[in-house]
Amino acid sequence: MIRLNVFVKVSEKDRETVIAAARKLVAASLGDEGCIAYDIFESSTRRDVLMICETWRDETALAAHQKAAHFVELVPQIQELAEMKTESFVF
C-alpha cells in the first residue's frame, strides 16, 4: 500500500476556496479504483495548515488516480492558491 500525506499551507483569504476544492477532490477520489482511504484534515492549532491523507492499494492505482479528470482539474486549482508538500510511504 501507498500512503500520501499532502500538507497544504494556505492564506486566510484563499482558505475556504481551497477547502471546497479539496472536498470535491476527496469525494471524487474515494470512487477511484484502488483507493483505500482519502480525507482532508484541518489543523487544530494553525488555520493556515491542512492535510490531505490518501491510501492507495498500489502504484498502478495511484498512477491512474493522478490521470483522472478530477485530479487533473482540482489539484492545479489548489496549487494555484496554496503551497503543497507531499510525503510518501510504502507499507
Side-chain angles (χ1 to χ4, degrees), residues 18-30:
V18 167
I19 289 174
R23 286 181 178 156
K24 287 180 187 175
L25 180 63
V26 167
S29 298
L30 285 169

Side-chain angles (χ1 to χ4, degrees), residues 25-80:
L25 180 63
V26 167
S29 298
L30 285 169
D32 287 351
E33 177 69 28
C35 179
I36 295 168
Y38 209 107
D39 209 338
I40 182 170
F41 300 94
E42 299 179 47
S43 172
S44 63
T45 58
R46 293 185 53 191
R47 283 190 50 84
D48 64 332
V49 176
L50 311 168
M51 184 178 78
I52 299 171
C53 184
E54 316 170 26
T55 306
W56 295 94
R57 179 186 60 224
D58 54 29
E59 187 63 44
T60 302
L62 177 57
H65 163 68
Q66 292 171 334
K67 293 176 185 167
H70 54 271
F71 183 94
V72 172
E73 175 188 346
L74 294 166
V75 170
Q77 289 178 21
I78 295 169
Q79 288 174 322
E80 186 176 309

